[in-house]
Amino acid sequence: MATWQCVKQCGACCHLDPADRPDIYEYLSPEELELYLSMVGEGGWCVNFDKDSRECRIYPNRPRFCRVEPEVFEEMYGIYPEELNDFAIDCCYQQIEGVYGDRSLEMLRFDQAVGM
């Protein structure tokens, strides 16, 4: 069975272009939406994403919507904890494919990490 995990130095989820996420208005509060939009920088990348190290500069203090945690996904998306693993894997596949491509090094690393 595949088990979700974040792959270091991927950063696909740090590509925040609102055009790629038209439903953000449905699951973010007005305050979160304002914060989210303020984080969108050049090319749709999060202003807190360090493109050289490919890591988040504010990881310990990142906003709720940047966290893959059972209670966050249940509150924001209605995903129950027992569904989180499969949901997170699907989300990552979609995001990595959209940002880097389905045959990218990032996708290969994700496949290996989750056991696909």
Side-chain angles (χ1 to χ4, degrees):
M1 178 178 149
T3 304
W4 179 85
Q5 63 177 290
C6 184
V7 177
K8 288 188 180 283
Q9 299 177 314
C10 169
C13 61
C14 299
H15 192 261
L16 304 178
D17 190 344
D20 296 338
R21 300 172 187 212
D23 56 346
I24 60 172
Y25 303 94
E26 297 172 19
Y27 57 81
L28 294 182
S29 70
E31 296 80 19
E32 287 175 320
L33 182 60
E34 184 178 345
L35 175 59
Y36 182 95
L37 295 174
S38 76
M39 292 169 60
V40 179
E42 185 179 328
W45 288 96
C46 179
V47 297
N48 298 302
F49 181 64
D50 184 320
K51 290 182 182 176
D52 293 328
S53 68
R54 295 181 66 159
E55 294 180 348
C56 176
R57 291 185 187 105
I58 63 164
Y59 190 83
N61 301 309
R62 68 198 184 281
R64 176 180 85 119
F65 54 78
C66 292
R67 298 174 180 270
V68 180
E69 298 170 354
E71 58 279 353
V72 171
F73 273 63
E74 189 169 358
E75 289 173 18
M76 290 181 69
Y77 311 112
I79 301 300
Y80 295 107
E82 61 271 13
E83 301 168 323
L84 179 58
N85 184 67
D86 292 342
F87 185 81
I89 288 172
D90 288 343
C91 286
C92 284
Y93 272 120
Q94 289 176 23
Q95 189 67 15
I96 293 168
E97 181 177 359
V99 173
Y100 300 118
D102 65 345
R103 296 177 186 212
S104 62
L105 177 59
E106 291 81 7
M107 186 67 81
L108 177 62
R109 290 177 57 229
F110 183 71
D111 279 342
Q112 291 173 339
V114 300
M116 296 298 275

